[in-house]
Amino acid sequence: MPLVALTGGIASGKSTIARRLAEHGAVVVDADALVRELQAPGQPVLAAIAEEFGPEVLTADGALDRAALGGVVFGDRERLARLNAIVHPAVKEESQRRFRAALEADPRTVVVYDVPLLAEARGAGEWDRVVVAHASADIRRSRLVEQRGMTETDAAARIANQAGDDERLALADVVIDTSGTLDDTRAQADELWRSLTAGP
């Protein structure tokens, strides 16, 4: 079972690649979706976040107020580190459980871990292949402004808050250039799938 880490900066086209691999039959485990599940009301992670950062990071109905939490930790490395110390171990445990479940269901399946913060959090140690979706910071900033409605300043800040391109590319076994058309990106994902499923 190939275990593939798929990473890339914000607006890098990573989700397009993940969807294409899923269409081919890969089991995609989405780190962001895991985080949302683990931070849902009633989950121990949410309780730990509220205990650490106070009730002001919760909405009136007890859900996580992501904007409020972001305001507390954004730009404060110490507080961000405390948040990561709560969230990252729980995400790692749950992702490992899902990898094992996929393997037990079909030992030949390809498992793709869609993980934006690979460079920031976990490195390249356990993966059979690390795939990096790559487009320049200028292209990604334009996408954030044109497709997600961000201001230039907000887009630049989001990009600056992530690992740099060089840091991500240093982890890569495969780089998918997403600076062209969607069809170009999908074609590269198709080629990746062929390489992952080729016989010995």
Side-chain angles (χ1 to χ4, degrees), residues 117-181:
L117 302 182
L118 182 71
E120 292 86 340
R122 292 179 59 187
E126 69 190 274
W127 314 106
D128 297 306
R129 206 84 53 94
V130 174
V131 179
V132 174
H134 178 67
S136 72
D138 285 344
I139 289 173
R140 292 187 288 123
R141 186 167 56 248
S142 294
R143 288 173 180 168
L144 290 172
V145 172
E146 293 163 14
Q147 298 171 14
R148 303 194 196 179
M150 289 189 185
T151 66
E152 287 275 356
T153 302
D154 286 347
R158 290 291 297 274
I159 290 169
N161 205 44
Q162 294 185 332
D165 289 343
D166 290 347
E167 192 176 350
R168 261 191 303 271
L169 291 169
L171 299 175
D173 299 305
V174 177
V175 177
I176 293 184
D177 179 358
T178 62
S179 58
T181 66

CSV table of all heavy atoms in Angstrom, one decimal, residues 117-181:
chain,number,residue,atom,x,y,z
A,117,LEU,N,0.1,21.3,6.0
A,117,LEU,CA,1.2,21.8,6.8
A,117,LEU,C,2.2,20.7,7.0
A,117,LEU,O,2.8,20.6,8.1
A,117,LEU,CB,0.6,22.3,8.1
A,117,LEU,CG,-0.4,23.4,8.1
A,117,LEU,CD1,-0.8,23.9,9.4
A,117,LEU,CD2,0.2,24.6,7.2
A,118,LEU,N,2.5,19.9,6.0
A,118,LEU,CA,3.5,18.8,6.2
A,118,LEU,C,4.8,19.4,6.6
A,118,LEU,O,5.5,18.9,7.5
A,118,LEU,CB,3.6,18.0,4.9
A,118,LEU,CG,4.6,16.8,5.0
A,118,LEU,CD1,4.0,15.7,5.8
A,118,LEU,CD2,4.9,16.3,3.6
A,119,ALA,N,5.3,20.4,5.9
A,119,ALA,CA,6.6,21.0,6.2
A,119,ALA,C,6.6,21.6,7.6
A,119,ALA,O,7.6,21.5,8.3
A,119,ALA,CB,6.9,22.0,5.1
A,120,GLU,N,5.5,22.2,8.0
A,120,GLU,CA,5.5,22.8,9.3
A,120,GLU,C,5.4,21.8,10.5
A,120,GLU,O,5.8,22.0,11.6
A,120,GLU,CB,4.3,23.8,9.4
A,120,GLU,CG,4.3,25.0,8.5
A,120,GLU,CD,3.8,24.7,7.1
A,120,GLU,OE1,3.7,23.5,6.7
A,120,GLU,OE2,3.5,25.7,6.4
A,121,ALA,N,4.7,20.6,10.2
A,121,ALA,CA,4.3,19.8,11.3
A,121,ALA,C,5.1,18.5,11.4
A,121,ALA,O,5.5,18.1,12.5
A,121,ALA,CB,2.8,19.5,11.3
A,122,ARG,N,5.2,17.7,10.3
A,122,ARG,CA,5.5,16.3,10.5
A,122,ARG,C,6.7,15.8,9.6
A,122,ARG,O,7.1,14.7,9.8
A,122,ARG,CB,4.3,15.4,10.2
A,122,ARG,CG,3.2,15.6,11.3
A,122,ARG,CD,2.0,14.8,11.0
A,122,ARG,NE,2.3,13.4,11.0
A,122,ARG,CZ,1.4,12.5,10.6
A,122,ARG,NH1,0.2,12.8,10.3
A,122,ARG,NH2,1.8,11.2,10.6
A,123,GLY,N,7.1,16.6,8.7
A,123,GLY,CA,8.2,16.2,7.9
A,123,GLY,C,7.9,15.0,7.0
A,123,GLY,O,6.8,14.7,6.7
A,124,ALA,N,9.0,14.4,6.5
A,124,ALA,CA,8.8,13.4,5.4
A,124,ALA,C,9.1,12.0,5.7
A,124,ALA,O,9.2,11.2,4.9
A,124,ALA,CB,9.7,13.9,4.2
A,125,GLY,N,9.2,11.7,7.0
A,125,GLY,CA,9.8,10.4,7.4
A,125,GLY,C,9.0,9.2,7.1
A,125,GLY,O,9.5,8.2,6.7
A,126,GLU,N,7.6,9.2,7.2
A,126,GLU,CA,6.9,7.9,7.1
A,126,GLU,C,6.3,7.7,5.8
A,126,GLU,O,5.6,6.6,5.6
A,126,GLU,CB,5.8,8.0,8.2
A,126,GLU,CG,4.7,9.0,7.9
A,126,GLU,CD,3.7,9.1,9.0
A,126,GLU,OE1,2.8,8.3,9.1
A,126,GLU,OE2,3.9,10.0,9.8
A,127,TRP,N,6.5,8.5,4.8
A,127,TRP,CA,5.7,8.4,3.5
A,127,TRP,C,6.5,7.6,2.5
A,127,TRP,O,7.7,7.8,2.4
A,127,TRP,CB,5.4,9.8,3.0
A,127,TRP,CG,4.9,10.7,4.1
A,127,TRP,CD1,5.5,11.7,4.7
A,127,TRP,CD2,3.6,10.6,4.8
A,127,TRP,NE1,4.7,12.2,5.7
A,127,TRP,CE2,3.6,11.6,5.8
A,127,TRP,CE3,2.5,9.7,4.6
A,127,TRP,CZ2,2.4,11.8,6.6
A,127,TRP,CZ3,1.4,9.9,5.4
A,127,TRP,CH2,1.4,10.9,6.4
A,128,ASP,N,5.8,6.9,1.7
A,128,ASP,CA,6.4,6.2,0.5
A,128,ASP,C,6.7,7.3,-0.6
A,128,ASP,O,7.7,7.1,-1.3
A,128,ASP,CB,5.5,5.1,-0.1
A,128,ASP,CG,5.3,4.0,1.0
A,128,ASP,OD1,6.3,3.5,1.4
A,128,ASP,OD2,4.1,3.7,1.3
A,129,ARG,N,5.9,8.3,-0.7
A,129,ARG,CA,6.1,9.3,-1.6
A,129,ARG,C,5.5,10.6,-1.1
A,129,ARG,O,4.4,10.6,-0.5
A,129,ARG,CB,5.3,9.0,-2.9
A,129,ARG,CG,5.8,9.6,-4.2
A,129,ARG,CD,6.9,8.7,-4.9
A,129,ARG,NE,6.6,7.3,-5.0
A,129,ARG,CZ,6.1,6.8,-6.2
A,129,ARG,NH1,5.8,7.6,-7.2
A,129,ARG,NH2,5.9,5.5,-6.3
A,130,VAL,N,6.3,11.7,-1.2
A,130,VAL,CA,5.8,13.0,-0.9
A,130,VAL,C,5.6,13.8,-2.2
A,130,VAL,O,6.5,14.0,-2.9
A,130,VAL,CB,6.8,13.8,0.1
A,130,VAL,CG1,6.3,15.2,0.3
A,130,VAL,CG2,6.9,13.1,1.4
A,131,VAL,N,4.4,14.3,-2.4
A,131,VAL,CA,4.0,15.0,-3.6
A,131,VAL,C,3.7,16.4,-3.2
A,131,VAL,O,2.9,16.7,-2.3
A,131,VAL,CB,2.7,14.4,-4.2
A,131,VAL,CG1,2.3,15.1,-5.5
A,131,VAL,CG2,3.0,12.9,-4.6
A,132,VAL,N,4.3,17.3,-3.9
A,132,VAL,CA,4.1,18.8,-3.6
A,132,VAL,C,3.4,19.4,-4.8
A,132,VAL,O,3.9,19.3,-5.9
A,132,VAL,CB,5.5,19.5,-3.3
A,132,VAL,CG1,5.3,21.0,-3.2
A,132,VAL,CG2,6.1,18.9,-2.0
A,133,ALA,N,2.3,20.0,-4.5
A,133,ALA,CA,1.6,20.9,-5.5
A,133,ALA,C,2.3,22.2,-5.5
A,133,ALA,O,2.4,22.8,-4.4
A,133,ALA,CB,0.1,21.0,-5.2
A,134,HIS,N,2.8,22.7,-6.6
A,134,HIS,CA,3.6,23.9,-6.6
A,134,HIS,C,3.2,24.9,-7.7
A,134,HIS,O,3.0,24.6,-8.8
A,134,HIS,CB,5.1,23.5,-6.8
A,134,HIS,CG,5.9,24.8,-6.9
A,134,HIS,ND1,6.2,25.6,-5.8
A,134,HIS,CD2,6.6,25.3,-7.9
A,134,HIS,CE1,7.0,26.6,-6.1
A,134,HIS,NE2,7.2,26.4,-7.4
A,135,ALA,N,2.9,26.1,-7.2
A,135,ALA,CA,2.8,27.3,-8.0
A,135,ALA,C,3.5,28.4,-7.3
A,135,ALA,O,3.5,28.4,-6.1
A,135,ALA,CB,1.3,27.6,-8.3
A,136,SER,N,3.9,29.4,-8.0
A,136,SER,CA,4.7,30.5,-7.3
A,136,SER,C,3.7,31.3,-6.4
A,136,SER,O,2.5,31.2,-6.5
A,136,SER,CB,5.2,31.5,-8.4
A,136,SER,OG,4.1,32.2,-9.0
A,137,ALA,N,4.4,31.9,-5.4
A,137,ALA,CA,3.6,32.8,-4.5
A,137,ALA,C,2.8,33.8,-5.2
A,137,ALA,O,1.6,34.1,-4.8
A,137,ALA,CB,4.5,33.4,-3.5
A,138,ASP,N,3.3,34.4,-6.3
A,138,ASP,CA,2.5,35.4,-7.0
A,138,ASP,C,1.2,34.8,-7.6
A,138,ASP,O,0.2,35.4,-7.6
A,138,ASP,CB,3.4,36.0,-8.2
A,138,ASP,CG,4.4,37.0,-7.6
A,138,ASP,OD1,4.3,37.4,-6.5
A,138,ASP,OD2,5.4,37.3,-8.4
A,139,ILE,N,1.3,33.6,-8.2
A,139,ILE,CA,0.2,32.9,-8.8
A,139,ILE,C,-0.8,32.6,-7.7
A,139,ILE,O,-2.0,32.8,-7.8
A,139,ILE,CB,0.6,31.7,-9.5
A,139,ILE,CG1,1.3,32.1,-10.8
A,139,ILE,CG2,-0.6,30.8,-9.8
A,139,ILE,CD1,1.9,30.9,-11.6
A,140,ARG,N,-0.4,32.1,-6.5
A,140,ARG,CA,-1.3,31.7,-5.5
A,140,ARG,C,-1.9,32.9,-4.9
A,140,ARG,O,-3.1,32.9,-4.5
A,140,ARG,CB,-0.5,30.9,-4.4
A,140,ARG,CG,-0.1,29.5,-4.9
A,140,ARG,CD,0.5,28.7,-3.9
A,140,ARG,NE,1.9,29.1,-3.5
A,140,ARG,CZ,2.2,29.4,-2.3
A,140,ARG,NH1,1.4,29.3,-1.3
A,140,ARG,NH2,3.5,29.7,-2.0
A,141,ARG,N,-1.2,34.0,-4.7
A,141,ARG,CA,-1.8,35.3,-4.2
A,141,ARG,C,-2.9,35.7,-5.2
A,141,ARG,O,-4.0,36.1,-4.7
A,141,ARG,CB,-0.7,36.3,-4.1
A,141,ARG,CG,-1.2,37.6,-3.4
A,141,ARG,CD,-0.1,38.5,-3.0
A,141,ARG,NE,0.8,38.9,-4.1
A,141,ARG,CZ,2.0,38.5,-4.2
A,141,ARG,NH1,2.6,37.7,-3.3
A,141,ARG,NH2,2.7,38.9,-5.3
A,142,SER,N,-2.7,35.7,-6.4
A,142,SER,CA,-3.7,36.1,-7.4
A,142,SER,C,-4.9,35.2,-7.3
A,142,SER,O,-6.1,35.7,-7.4
A,142,SER,CB,-3.1,36.0,-8.8
A,142,SER,OG,-2.1,36.9,-9.0
A,143,ARG,N,-4.7,33.9,-7.1
A,143,ARG,CA,-5.9,33.0,-6.9
A,143,ARG,C,-6.7,33.3,-5.7
A,143,ARG,O,-7.9,33.3,-5.7
A,143,ARG,CB,-5.4,31.6,-6.9
A,143,ARG,CG,-4.9,31.0,-8.2
A,143,ARG,CD,-4.3,29.6,-8.0
A,143,ARG,NE,-3.8,29.1,-9.2
A,143,ARG,CZ,-3.0,28.0,-9.3
A,143,ARG,NH1,-2.6,27.4,-8.2
A,143,ARG,NH2,-2.5,27.6,-10.5
A,144,LEU,N,-6.0,33.7,-4.6
A,144,LEU,CA,-6.7,34.0,-3.4
A,144,LEU,C,-7.6,35.3,-3.6
A,144,LEU,O,-8.7,35.4,-3.0
A,144,LEU,CB,-5.7,34.2,-2.2
A,144,LEU,CG,-5.0,32.9,-1.7
A,144,LEU,CD1,-3.9,33.2,-0.7
A,144,LEU,CD2,-6.1,32.0,-1.1
A,145,VAL,N,-7.0,36.2,-4.3
A,145,VAL,CA,-7.8,37.5,-4.5
A,145,VAL,C,-8.9,37.2,-5.5
A,145,VAL,O,-10.1,37.6,-5.2
A,145,VAL,CB,-6.8,38.6,-5.1
A,145,VAL,CG1,-7.6,39.8,-5.5
A,145,VAL,CG2,-5.8,38.9,-4.0
A,146,GLU,N,-8.6,36.5,-6.6
A,146,GLU,CA,-9.6,36.4,-7.7
A,146,GLU,C,-10.7,35.3,-7.4
A,146,GLU,O,-11.9,35.5,-7.7
A,146,GLU,CB,-8.9,36.1,-9.0
A,146,GLU,CG,-8.1,37.2,-9.5
A,146,GLU,CD,-7.1,36.8,-10.6
A,146,GLU,OE1,-7.2,35.6,-11.1
A,146,GLU,OE2,-6.2,37.6,-10.9
A,147,GLN,N,-10.3,34.2,-6.7
A,147,GLN,CA,-11.2,33.1,-6.5
A,147,GLN,C,-11.8,33.1,-5.1
A,147,GLN,O,-12.9,32.5,-5.0
A,147,GLN,CB,-10.5,31.8,-6.8
A,147,GLN,CG,-10.0,31.7,-8.2
A,147,GLN,CD,-9.1,30.5,-8.4
A,147,GLN,OE1,-9.0,29.6,-7.6
A,147,GLN,NE2,-8.3,30.4,-9.6
A,148,ARG,N,-11.1,33.6,-4.1
A,148,ARG,CA,-11.6,33.6,-2.8
A,148,ARG,C,-12.0,34.9,-2.2
A,148,ARG,O,-12.4,35.0,-1.0
A,148,ARG,CB,-10.6,32.8,-1.9
A,148,ARG,CG,-10.3,31.5,-2.4
A,148,ARG,CD,-9.5,30.7,-1.3
A,148,ARG,NE,-8.9,29.5,-1.9
A,148,ARG,CZ,-8.1,28.6,-1.2
A,148,ARG,NH1,-8.0,28.8,0.1
A,148,ARG,NH2,-7.6,27.6,-1.8
A,149,GLY,N,-11.8,36.0,-3.0
A,149,GLY,CA,-12.2,37.3,-2.6
A,149,GLY,C,-11.4,38.0,-1.5
A,149,GLY,O,-11.8,38.9,-0.8
A,150,MET,N,-10.2,37.5,-1.3
A,150,MET,CA,-9.3,38.1,-0.3
A,150,MET,C,-8.7,39.4,-0.8
A,150,MET,O,-8.6,39.6,-2.0
A,150,MET,CB,-8.1,37.2,0.1
A,150,MET,CG,-8.5,36.0,0.9
A,150,MET,SD,-7.0,35.1,1.5
A,150,MET,CE,-7.8,33.7,2.3
A,151,THR,N,-8.3,40.3,0.1
A,151,THR,CA,-7.5,41.4,-0.3
A,151,THR,C,-6.1,41.0,-0.5
A,151,THR,O,-5.7,39.9,-0.1
A,151,THR,CB,-7.5,42.5,0.9
A,151,THR,OG1,-6.8,41.9,2.0
A,151,THR,CG2,-8.9,42.9,1.3
A,152,GLU,N,-5.4,41.8,-1.3
A,152,GLU,CA,-4.0,41.5,-1.5
A,152,GLU,C,-3.2,41.4,-0.2
A,152,GLU,O,-2.4,40.5,-0.1
A,152,GLU,CB,-3.3,42.7,-2.4
A,152,GLU,CG,-3.8,42.7,-3.8
A,152,GLU,CD,-3.0,41.8,-4.7
A,152,GLU,OE1,-2.0,41.2,-4.2
A,152,GLU,OE2,-3.3,41.7,-5.9
A,153,THR,N,-3.5,42.2,0.8
A,153,THR,CA,-2.8,42.2,2.0
A,153,THR,C,-3.1,40.9,2.8
A,153,THR,O,-2.1,40.2,3.3
A,153,THR,CB,-3.2,43.4,2.9
A,153,THR,OG1,-2.9,44.6,2.2
A,153,THR,CG2,-2.4,43.4,4.2
A,154,ASP,N,-4.3,40.5,2.8
A,154,ASP,CA,-4.7,39.2,3.5
A,154,ASP,C,-4.1,38.0,2.8
A,154,ASP,O,-3.6,37.1,3.5
A,154,ASP,CB,-6.2,39.1,3.6
A,154,ASP,CG,-6.8,40.0,4.6
A,154,ASP,OD1,-6.1,40.6,5.4
A,154,ASP,OD2,-8.1,40.2,4.6
A,155,ALA,N,-4.1,38.0,1.5
A,155,ALA,CA,-3.6,36.9,0.7
A,155,ALA,C,-2.1,36.8,1.0
A,155,ALA,O,-1.6,35.7,1.2
A,155,ALA,CB,-3.9,37.1,-0.8
A,156,ALA,N,-1.4,37.9,1.0
A,156,ALA,CA,0.1,37.9,1.2
A,156,ALA,C,0.4,37.4,2.6
A,156,ALA,O,1.3,36.6,2.8
A,156,ALA,CB,0.6,39.3,1.0
A,157,ALA,N,-0.5,37.8,3.6
A,157,ALA,CA,-0.2,37.4,5.0
A,157,ALA,C,-0.5,35.9,5.1
A,157,ALA,O,0.3,35.2,5.8
A,157,ALA,CB,-1.2,38.2,5.9
A,158,ARG,N,-1.5,35.3,4.5
A,158,ARG,CA,-1.7,33.9,4.6
A,158,ARG,C,-0.6,33.1,4.0
A,158,ARG,O,-0.2,32.1,4.6
A,158,ARG,CB,-3.0,33.6,3.9
A,158,ARG,CG,-4.3,34.1,4.5
A,158,ARG,CD,-4.6,33.3,5.8
A,158,ARG,NE,-4.9,31.9,5.7
A,158,ARG,CZ,-6.1,31.4,5.4
A,158,ARG,NH1,-7.1,32.2,5.2
A,158,ARG,NH2,-6.2,30.1,5.2
A,159,ILE,N,-0.1,33.6,2.9
A,159,ILE,CA,1.1,32.9,2.3
A,159,ILE,C,2.3,33.0,3.1
A,159,ILE,O,3.0,32.0,3.3
A,159,ILE,CB,1.3,33.4,0.8
A,159,ILE,CG1,0.2,33.0,-0.1
A,159,ILE,CG2,2.6,32.9,0.3
A,159,ILE,CD1,0.1,33.7,-1.4
A,160,ALA,N,2.6,34.2,3.7
A,160,ALA,CA,3.8,34.4,4.5
A,160,ALA,C,3.7,33.6,5.8
A,160,ALA,O,4.8,33.2,6.3
A,160,ALA,CB,3.9,35.9,4.8
A,161,ASN,N,2.5,33.2,6.2
A,161,ASN,CA,2.4,32.5,7.5
A,161,ASN,C,2.6,31.0,7.3
A,161,ASN,O,2.7,30.3,8.3
A,161,ASN,CB,1.0,32.7,8.1
A,161,ASN,CG,1.0,32.5,9.6
A,161,ASN,OD1,1.8,33.0,10.3
A,161,ASN,ND2,0.0,31.8,10.1
A,162,GLN,N,2.8,30.5,6.1
A,162,GLN,CA,3.1,29.1,5.8
A,162,GLN,C,4.6,28.9,5.5
A,162,GLN,O,5.3,29.9,5.4
A,162,GLN,CB,2.2,28.6,4.7
A,162,GLN,CG,0.7,28.6,4.9
A,162,GLN,CD,0.0,28.0,3.8
A,162,GLN,OE1,0.4,28.0,2.7
A,162,GLN,NE2,-1.2,27.4,4.2
A,163,ALA,N,5.0,27.7,5.5
A,163,ALA,CA,6.3,27.3,5.1
A,163,ALA,C,6.6,27.9,3.7
A,163,ALA,O,5.7,28.1,2.9
A,163,ALA,CB,6.5,25.8,5.1
A,164,GLY,N,7.9,28.2,3.5
A,164,GLY,CA,8.3,28.8,2.2
A,164,GLY,C,8.3,27.7,1.1
A,164,GLY,O,8.4,26.5,1.4
A,165,ASP,N,8.3,28.1,-0.2
A,165,ASP,CA,8.4,27.1,-1.3
A,165,ASP,C,9.6,26.2,-1.2
A,165,ASP,O,9.5,25.0,-1.4
A,165,ASP,CB,8.3,27.8,-2.6
A,165,ASP,CG,7.0,28.5,-2.9
A,165,ASP,OD1,6.0,28.1,-2.2
A,165,ASP,OD2,6.9,29.3,-3.8
A,166,ASP,N,10.7,26.8,-0.9
A,166,ASP,CA,12.0,26.0,-0.8
A,166,ASP,C,11.9,24.9,0.2
A,166,ASP,O,12.3,23.8,0.0
A,166,ASP,CB,13.2,26.9,-0.5
A,166,ASP,CG,13.5,27.8,-1.7
A,166,ASP,OD1,13.0,27.5,-2.8
A,166,ASP,OD2,14.3,28.7,-1.5
A,167,GLU,N,11.3,25.2,1.4
A,167,GLU,CA,11.1,24.3,2.5
A,167,GLU,C,10.2,23.1,2.1
A,167,GLU,O,10.5,21.9,2.3
A,167,GLU,CB,10.6,25.0,3.7
A,167,GLU,CG,10.6,24.2,5.0
A,167,GLU,CD,10.2,25.0,6.2
A,167,GLU,OE1,9.9,26.2,6.1
A,167,GLU,OE2,10.0,24.3,7.2
A,168,ARG,N,9.1,23.4,1.4
A,168,ARG,CA,8.2,22.4,0.9
A,168,ARG,C,8.9,21.5,-0.2
A,168,ARG,O,8.8,20.3,-0.1
A,168,ARG,CB,6.9,23.0,0.4
A,168,ARG,CG,5.8,23.0,1.4
A,168,ARG,CD,4.5,23.3,0.7
A,168,ARG,NE,4.6,24.6,0.1
A,168,ARG,CZ,4.3,25.8,0.7
A,168,ARG,NH1,3.9,25.8,1.9
A,168,ARG,NH2,4.4,26.9,0.0
A,169,LEU,N,9.5,22.2,-1.1
A,169,LEU,CA,10.1,21.5,-2.3
A,169,LEU,C,11.2,20.6,-1.8
A,169,LEU,O,11.5,19.5,-2.5
A,169,LEU,CB,10.6,22.5,-3.3
A,169,LEU,CG,9.4,23.2,-4.1
A,169,LEU,CD1,10.0,24.4,-4.9
A,169,LEU,CD2,8.6,22.3,-4.9
A,170,ALA,N,11.9,20.9,-0.7
A,170,ALA,CA,13.0,20.1,-0.2
A,170,ALA,C,12.4,18.7,0.2
A,170,ALA,O,13.2,17.7,0.3
A,170,ALA,CB,13.7,20.8,0.9
A,171,LEU,N,11.2,18.6,0.6
A,171,LEU,CA,10.6,17.3,1.0
A,171,LEU,C,10.1,16.5,-0.2
A,171,LEU,O,9.8,15.3,0.0
A,171,LEU,CB,9.4,17.6,1.9
A,171,LEU,CG,9.6,18.4,3.2
A,171,LEU,CD1,8.3,18.6,3.9
A,171,LEU,CD2,10.5,17.6,4.1
A,172,ALA,N,10.0,17.0,-1.4
A,172,ALA,CA,9.3,16.4,-2.5
A,172,ALA,C,10.0,15.3,-3.1
A,172,ALA,O,11.2,15.4,-3.4
A,172,ALA,CB,9.0,17.5,-3.5
A,173,ASP,N,9.3,14.2,-3.3
A,173,ASP,CA,9.7,13.1,-4.3
A,173,ASP,C,9.1,13.4,-5.6
A,173,ASP,O,9.8,13.1,-6.7
A,173,ASP,CB,9.2,11.8,-3.8
A,173,ASP,CG,9.7,11.4,-2.4
A,173,ASP,OD1,11.0,11.4,-2.3
A,173,ASP,OD2,8.9,11.1,-1.5
A,174,VAL,N,8.0,14.0,-5.7
A,174,VAL,CA,7.3,14.4,-6.9
A,174,VAL,C,6.8,15.8,-6.8
A,174,VAL,O,6.2,16.2,-5.8
A,174,VAL,CB,6.1,13.5,-7.2
A,174,VAL,CG1,5.4,13.9,-8.5
A,174,VAL,CG2,6.5,12.0,-7.3
A,175,VAL,N,7.0,16.6,-7.8
A,175,VAL,CA,6.5,18.0,-7.8
A,175,VAL,C,5.4,18.1,-9.0
A,175,VAL,O,5.8,17.7,-10.1
A,175,VAL,CB,7.6,19.1,-8.0
A,175,VAL,CG1,6.9,20.5,-8.1
A,175,VAL,CG2,8.6,19.0,-6.9
A,176,ILE,N,4.2,18.5,-8.7
A,176,ILE,CA,3.2,18.7,-9.7
A,176,ILE,C,3.1,20.2,-9.9
A,176,ILE,O,2.7,21.0,-8.9
A,176,ILE,CB,1.9,18.1,-9.3
A,176,ILE,CG1,2.0,16.6,-9.3
A,176,ILE,CG2,0.8,18.5,-10.3
A,176,ILE,CD1,0.8,15.8,-9.1
A,177,ASP,N,3.4,20.7,-11.1
A,177,ASP,CA,3.4,22.1,-11.4
A,177,ASP,C,2.0,22.5,-11.7
A,177,ASP,O,1.4,22.1,-12.7
A,177,ASP,CB,4.3,22.4,-12.6
A,177,ASP,CG,4.3,23.8,-13.0
A,177,ASP,OD1,3.6,24.7,-12.4
A,177,ASP,OD2,5.0,24.2,-14.0
A,178,THR,N,1.4,23.3,-10.8
A,178,THR,CA,0.0,23.7,-10.9
A,178,THR,C,-0.2,25.1,-11.5
A,178,THR,O,-1.3,25.7,-11.3
A,178,THR,CB,-0.7,23.6,-9.6
A,178,THR,OG1,-0.1,24.5,-8.6
A,178,THR,CG2,-0.6,22.2,-9.0
A,179,SER,N,0.8,25.6,-12.1
A,179,SER,CA,0.8,27.0,-12.5
A,179,SER,C,0.0,27.1,-13.9
A,179,SER,O,-0.3,28.2,-14.3
A,179,SER,CB,2.2,27.6,-12.7
A,179,SER,OG,3.0,26.9,-13.5
A,180,GLY,N,-0.2,26.0,-14.5
A,180,GLY,CA,-0.9,26.0,-15.8
A,180,GLY,C,-2.4,25.8,-15.7
A,180,GLY,O,-3.0,26.3,-14.7
A,181,THR,N,-3.0,25.2,-16.6
A,181,THR,CA,-4.5,25.0,-16.6
A,181,THR,C,-4.8,23.8,-15.7
A,181,THR,O,-4.0,23.0,-15.3
A,181,THR,CB,-5.0,24.6,-18.0
A,181,THR,OG1,-4.4,23.3,-18.4
A,181,THR,CG2,-4.5,25.7,-19.1
